[in-house]
């Protein structure tokens, strides 16, 4: 057995490689800069982890999300491989410790965020390390034409000068041809070897359905397609209402969004993973790193921002290779809403600068200072003091975060949570007898709907300002309520935190030049147009439209998307298809429906019923269908 296969077996316990893994590993072993384009779940991590084991020195991995880094570090540690990450929120001592052990050979894998690469302290340590390989995960983040552009990714190439001999491998699941070129360019990849697997998913039927009664339509889909599914909605509250609607209609469902606390998210996720719940209704916070093979359908109740995002999310269906459905339900107001949201996500540049200045002034961060500093995130107060609406403030903060200047709380663990386990009656009785606590509780309930169903993140300062009291007093009252078993209160160790990742930059705002921002915005607009075109074009096979977007020419129609089916049903041959099968031999209705549905026919059951009603088909005593004549 050759060396890579042995390592694959030894550390991961697998017997064979997935498509292209071996070729990619081979290329890295030969010291080539390598670009690996494999679908989500295609096994990209192995493509850098395995060659890293065969090369001397450490493997530096650049990854955009703390959660992804922690997952991978855990995964490697479970296999007794030495890995660690340096993330914001660690103390100076902690991060120094990790960097030193990377220098002393105590680590094989070092995970960092791209922002880190800019810091002097990191660079000084990095130069002293023995580096065998640099891996850039989610490499599409480097391109402003990509759907998740992160300017700090542009710094990655700068650190290559310290270890010019170390090859670089870039990995992504979604790159259009322009984005792939951008990756090679900005990572200064020399003589880059590209490996790309096909974007065609032969078992996935893409459907775009125009329907104004979305929930009824969803219900019909869920009832018809058996098995596990994911339903994506845009906002957190809708996850809950829709899951409840499905439950009330007899479909076991759960919901998931980033506002739930970590334990709750885990519980809901595993209920769905192990099949206790059929349907997961979620925001796009759900799915990253989910490894469930038998997902039969993914339904989108709203249009996502880009085809890249859609392809990623829809692609979670049918990993096992069995027939699965990716359905996007939209109505006439959706496209309008998309452009409304766009205006909020991409505010005027002036506004972004104003927000940055306001943040720096509010926290008294001087120009040239403040790097790596951390503050309580007083959203309400800042908005009030500087006259921003919360939505525009958030929009601007997200741009600043993407620019690598600040980090705002994404992990909702940073917040306290409250859950009310008692019934409404008990609550009412309590409120009558405890006026002061009861009044405050009323404010909490009004501010955070949904507390009676599950634990919800809260901000004590917000409550304090609403009931004219101090945060400390609110904490105190919540604790009393907890002790009286009226609520479950889990205080956070500290409130939501804002980090300044770099020292305060002068108005220059390095990466936020007029021109860069205008380009960023127009790229986003282009992506929005692409998905609008996708939902509007009902003349070209969906699968072909999708893969063409990723630069792949497909010569055959998929034969099972809504467009292909429509042209099939124009032939009007469903009934003769049924007759043709039954001429050969009688068959149970269920099996017949399955057979024809797999061939791409829709509503076969309805047609059978009509044919029975008309007397063209007969049901015998063994529940087999026959032709009547
Ligand atoms: P992605 O391409 O999305 O980054 P991952 O690297 O996270 O995918 O891998 C997805 C899953 O596939 C993981 O559970 C991983 O262990 C598994 N996997 C990777 N390579 C193989 C293989 N050769 N055989 C079987 N499973 C594999
Ligand atoms: Mg990955």
């Amino acid at each position: 057995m050759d060396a890579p296969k042995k390592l694959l077996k030894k550390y991961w316990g697998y017997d064979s490689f997935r498509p292209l893994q071996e070729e990619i590993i081979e290329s890295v072993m030969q010291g080539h800069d390598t670009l690996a384009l494999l679908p989500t779940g295609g096994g990209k991590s192995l493509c850098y982890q395995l060659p890293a084991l065969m090369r001397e020195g450490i493997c530096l991995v650049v990854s955009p999300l703390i959660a992804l880094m922690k997952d991978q570090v855990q995964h490697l540690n479970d296999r007794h491989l030495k890995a660690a990450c340096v993330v914001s929120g660690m103390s100076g001592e902690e991060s120094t410790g990790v960097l030193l052990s990377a220098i002393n050979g105590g680590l094989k894998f070092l995970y960092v965020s791209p922002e880190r690469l800019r810091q002097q302290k990191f660079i000084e340590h990095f130069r002293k390390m023995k580096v065998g390989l640099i891996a850039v995960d989610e490499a599409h983040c480097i391109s402003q034409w990509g759907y998740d552009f992160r300017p700090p990714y542009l710094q990655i190439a700068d650190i290559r000068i310290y270890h010019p001999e170390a090859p670089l491998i870039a990995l992504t699941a979604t790159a259009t041809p322009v984005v792939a070129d951008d990756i090679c360019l900005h990572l200064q990849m020399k003589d880059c070897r590209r490996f790309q697997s096909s974007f065609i998913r032969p078992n996935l039927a893409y459907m775009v359905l125009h329907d104004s009664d979305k929930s009824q339509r969803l219900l019909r889909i869920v009832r018809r397609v058996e098995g596990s599914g994911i339903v994506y909605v845009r906002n957190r509250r809708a996850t809950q209402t829709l899951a409840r609607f499905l439950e009330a209609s007899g479909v076991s469902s759960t919901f998931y969004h980033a506002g739930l606390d970590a334990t709750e998210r885990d519980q809901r996720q595993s209920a769905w993973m192990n099949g206790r719940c059929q349907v997961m209704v979620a925001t796009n916070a759900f799915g990253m790193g989910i490894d469930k093979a038998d997902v039969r359908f993914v339904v989108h109740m709203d249009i996502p921002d880009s085809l890249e995002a859609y392809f990623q999310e829809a692609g979670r269906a049918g990993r096992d290779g069995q027939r699965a459905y990716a359905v996007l339900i939209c109505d006439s107001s959706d496209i309008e809403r998309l452009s409304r949201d766009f205006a909020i996500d991409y505010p005027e540049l002036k506004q972004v600068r104003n927000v940055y200045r306001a943040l720096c002034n509010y926290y008294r961060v001087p120009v040239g200072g403040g790097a790596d500093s951390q503050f309580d995130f007083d959203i309400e107060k800042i908005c009030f003091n500087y006259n921003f609406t919360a939505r525009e403030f958030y929009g601007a903060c997200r741009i600043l975060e993407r620019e690598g200047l600040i980090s705002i709380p994404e992990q909702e663990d940073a917040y306290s949570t409250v859950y009310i386990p008692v019934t409404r009656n008990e609550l009412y009785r309590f409120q009558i007898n405890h006026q002061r606590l009861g009044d405050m509780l009323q404010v909490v309930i009004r501010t955070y709907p949904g507390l009676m169903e599950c634990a919800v993140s809260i901000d004590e300062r917000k409550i304090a300002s609403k009931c004219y009291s101090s945060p400390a007093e609110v904490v105190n009252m919540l604790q009393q309520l907890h002790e009286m078993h009226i609520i479950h209160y889990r205080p956070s160790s500290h409130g939501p935190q804002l980090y300044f990742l770099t020292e305060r930059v002068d108005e220059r705002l390095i990466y936020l030049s007029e021109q860069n921002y205008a380009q960023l915005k127009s790229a986003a607009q282009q992506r929005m147009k692409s998905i609008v075109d996708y939902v509007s074009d009902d003349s070209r096979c969906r699968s072909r439209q999708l893969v063409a977007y990723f630069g792949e020419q497909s010569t055959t129609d998929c034969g099972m998307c809504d467009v292909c089916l429509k042209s099939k049903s124009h032939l009007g041959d469903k009934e003769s298809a049924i007759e043709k099968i039954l001429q050969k031999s009688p068959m149970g209705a269920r099996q017949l429906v399955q057979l024809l549905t797999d061939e791409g026919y829709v509503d076969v059951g309805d047609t059978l019923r009509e044919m029975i009603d008309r007397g063209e088909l007969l049901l015998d005593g063994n529940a087999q269908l026959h032709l009547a004549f």
Side-chain angles (χ1 to χ4, degrees):
M1 219 195 300
D2 52 337
K5 275 239 171 77
K6 269 189 205 149
L7 289 173
L8 180 70
K9 183 76 187 164
K10 177 171 173 202
Y11 287 103
W12 283 272
Y14 301 137
D15 292 315
S16 59
F17 284 105
R18 294 246 179 95
L20 291 180
Q21 278 181 330
E22 214 165 1
E23 291 85 338
I24 294 166
I25 291 168
E26 168 90 19
S27 160
V28 174
M29 283 316 295
Q30 289 170 354
H32 297 298
D33 284 350
T34 305
L35 172 60
L37 267 155
L38 295 184
T40 305
K44 288 184 287 298
S45 319
L46 245 158
C47 296
Y48 65 84
Q49 289 168 349
L50 201 148
L53 296 181
M54 293 190 286
R55 293 184 70 89
E56 248 187 275
I58 68 154
C59 172
L60 178 80
V61 189
V62 184
S63 173
L65 292 178
I66 294 180
L68 287 182
M69 288 191 229
K70 288 189 172 161
D71 260 13
Q72 288 299 327
V73 168
Q74 183 67 46
H75 173 92
L76 290 165
N77 289 340
D78 288 348
R79 284 162 180 74
H80 307 289
L81 294 168
K82 291 181 183 143
C85 54
V86 185
V87 296
S88 64
M90 270 184 168
S91 70
E93 269 164 50
E94 267 179 293
S95 60
T96 310
V98 172
L99 292 172
L100 286 177
S101 75
I103 293 175
N104 301 332
L107 279 183
K108 190 69 203 175
F109 297 92
L110 175 63
Y111 283 79
V112 294
S113 67
E115 288 85 2
R116 186 69 45 181
L117 307 177
R118 216 189 271 176
Q119 289 175 0
Q120 207 46 44
K121 172 176 156 187
F122 173 80
I123 292 175
E124 273 154 27
H125 286 85
F126 180 65
R127 322 167 67 126
K128 296 186 198 141
M129 295 175 198
K130 185 164 178 50
V131 177
L133 177 63
I134 298 173
V136 180
D137 206 3
E138 311 294 342
H140 57 273
C141 293
I142 206 171
S143 171
Q144 61 169 335
W145 309 112
Y147 74 117
D148 197 9
F149 175 49
R150 293 164 191 252
Y153 260 70
L154 291 167
Q155 317 261 310
I156 299 174
D158 297 346
I159 63 156
R160 293 197 73 181
I161 51 167
Y162 302 112
H163 298 285
E165 72 295 346
L168 184 147
I169 173 169
L171 312 114
T172 174
T174 39
T176 59
V178 181
V179 171
D181 289 344
D182 238 17
I183 293 173
C184 295
L185 177 73
H186 290 306
L187 289 173
Q188 291 172 14
M189 295 167 89
K190 296 167 288 274
D191 182 25
C192 169
R193 306 285 157 104
R194 285 193 197 191
F195 297 89
Q196 173 167 356
S197 63
S198 169
F199 282 87
I200 296 175
R201 297 284 311 273
N203 61 317
L204 197 53
Y206 297 101
M207 308 271 171
V208 176
L209 307 176
H210 297 269
D211 200 327
S212 53
D213 194 346
K214 293 186 177 185
S215 358
Q216 283 302 330
R217 191 60 180 252
L218 171 67
L219 193 57
R220 279 190 2 232
I221 295 167
V222 173
R223 286 191 172 142
R224 197 166 296 166
V225 186
E226 288 166 7
S228 278
I230 308 174
V231 178
Y232 281 110
V233 295
R234 259 184 111 83
N235 68 61
R236 293 176 178 185
R237 190 157 317 160
T239 61
Q240 194 172 347
T241 35
L242 198 57
R244 240 193 260 147
F245 164 79
L246 289 174
E247 279 281 328
S249 316
V251 179
S252 69
S253 315
T254 184
F255 64 95
Y256 185 107
H257 57 70
L260 301 171
D261 79 52
T263 353
E264 183 115 23
R265 288 201 302 262
D266 286 349
Q267 278 167 2
R268 289 168 183 278
Q269 182 172 320
S270 56
W272 177 78
M273 288 292 287
N274 60 30
R276 266 183 292 131
C277 270
Q278 186 195 354
V279 179
M280 170 61 87
V281 187
T283 61
N284 61 6
F286 180 76
M288 196 72 99
I290 298 281
D291 211 5
K292 186 168 168 65
D294 61 347
V295 178
R296 293 276 66 84
F297 59 89
V298 171
V299 177
H300 280 78
M301 303 293 279
D302 300 288
I303 306 177
D305 294 332
S306 67
L307 277 181
E308 285 99 317
Y310 181 65
F311 186 77
Q312 284 265 13
E313 288 161 13
R316 296 190 176 123
R319 294 254 184 87
D320 55 6
Q322 304 294 310
R323 169 62 67 95
Y325 298 86
V327 187
L328 200 164
I329 311 179
C330 53
D331 67 22
S332 49
S333 64
D334 281 337
I335 292 173
E336 223 173 273
R337 206 220 50 247
L338 214 53
S339 44
R340 226 178 21 241
D341 288 352
F342 180 80
I344 293 166
D345 290 343
Y346 292 89
E348 295 297 319
L349 187 55
K350 209 171 94 219
Q351 181 73 359
V352 181
R353 288 207 174 112
N354 287 342
V355 166
Y356 183 64
R357 195 181 317 123
L359 284 171
C360 291
N361 290 343
Y362 183 83
Y363 295 109
R364 301 181 194 284
V365 172
V367 172
D372 254 345
S373 52
Q374 161 183 357
F375 301 95
D376 289 345
F377 195 31
D378 302 320
I379 305 161
E380 311 252 314
K381 270 208 208 129
I382 300 172
C383 286
F384 180 79
N385 285 3
Y386 297 92
N387 218 355
F388 300 122
T389 69
R391 283 197 81 166
E392 63 186 20
F393 177 70
Y394 257 122
C397 280
R398 273 200 301 266
I399 299 276
L400 291 167
E401 186 169 46
R402 215 161 34 201
E403 299 292 317
L405 293 168
I406 62 168
S407 150
I408 52 175
E410 57 148 351
Q411 275 176 318
E412 309 270 338
D413 296 350
Y415 291 86
S416 307
T417 60
V418 166
Y419 166 60
I420 305 184
V422 300
T423 65
R424 283 188 194 277
N425 269 339
E426 286 167 324
L427 190 64
Y428 179 66
R429 243 176 288 131
F430 175 86
Q431 285 177 311
I432 290 176
N433 296 324
H434 303 78
Q435 202 189 351
R436 209 175 65 93
L437 288 173
D439 285 353
M440 197 247 348
L441 193 52
Q442 198 53 39
V443 171
V444 179
I445 293 170
R446 244 184 285 125
T447 317
Y448 302 101
L451 289 166
M452 315 269 309
E453 280 91 24
C454 62
V456 170
S457 310
I458 57 136
D459 183 349
E460 289 87 346
R461 285 167 311 193
K462 185 169 177 180
I463 300 166
S465 74
K466 287 201 174 184
C467 45
Y468 307 103
S469 107
S470 72
E473 183 63 14
V474 169
V475 170
N476 186 312
M477 288 196 280
L478 290 170
Q479 258 150 6
Q480 286 182 44
L481 286 165
H482 180 82
E483 278 154 26
M484 297 162 94
H485 301 292
I486 297 298
I487 66 171
H488 286 202
Y489 173 52
R490 195 187 54 99
S492 73
S493 44
H494 45 70
Q497 299 287 297
L498 165 85
Y499 294 94
F500 283 92
L501 300 172
T502 65
E503 59 275 5
R504 174 173 182 177
V505 272
D506 200 359
E507 303 305 309
R508 295 174 289 133
L509 281 182
I510 317 175
Y511 294 103
L512 265 181
S513 75
E514 267 334 311
Q515 199 195 353
N516 279 353
Y517 188 64
Q519 275 178 9
L520 187 72
K521 201 164 168 173
S522 99
Q525 206 144 23
Q526 195 57 46
R527 284 192 300 275
M528 185 170 78
K529 185 178 175 305
S530 302
I531 194 154
V532 168
D533 287 349
Y534 173 78
V535 300
S536 315
D537 182 352
D538 57 2
S539 65
R540 283 190 305 147
C541 165
R542 300 282 172 206
S543 171
R544 287 177 80 162
Q545 287 191 50
L546 275 171
V547 303
Y549 181 72
F550 292 108
E552 191 175 329
Q553 288 313 319
S554 158
T555 47
T556 46
D557 285 346
C558 73
M560 54 191 178
C561 69
D562 62 296
V563 178
C564 289
L565 289 184
K566 204 174 61 184
S567 60
K568 259 193 197 173
S569 61
H570 278 164
L571 302 173
D573 60 356
K574 196 176 359 175
E575 295 187 7
S576 49
I578 292 171
E579 284 165 13
K580 216 154 109 194
I581 293 172
L582 293 182
Q583 258 158 18
K584 286 191 202 132
S585 76
M587 191 182 277
R590 216 186 154 85
Q591 196 187 350
L592 188 56
V593 169
Q594 189 65 53
L595 200 70
L596 288 166
T597 308
D598 283 349
E599 267 179 43
Y601 291 95
V602 284
D603 298 334
V604 180
D606 294 346
T607 310
L608 287 182
R609 225 159 292 129
E610 285 161 23
M611 292 175 81
I612 293 170
D613 288 348
R614 289 199 301 265
E616 293 163 18
L617 300 182
L618 298 174
L619 210 51
D620 71 15
N622 297 323
Q624 300 288 299
L625 284 165
H626 297 257
L627 285 178
F629 41 80

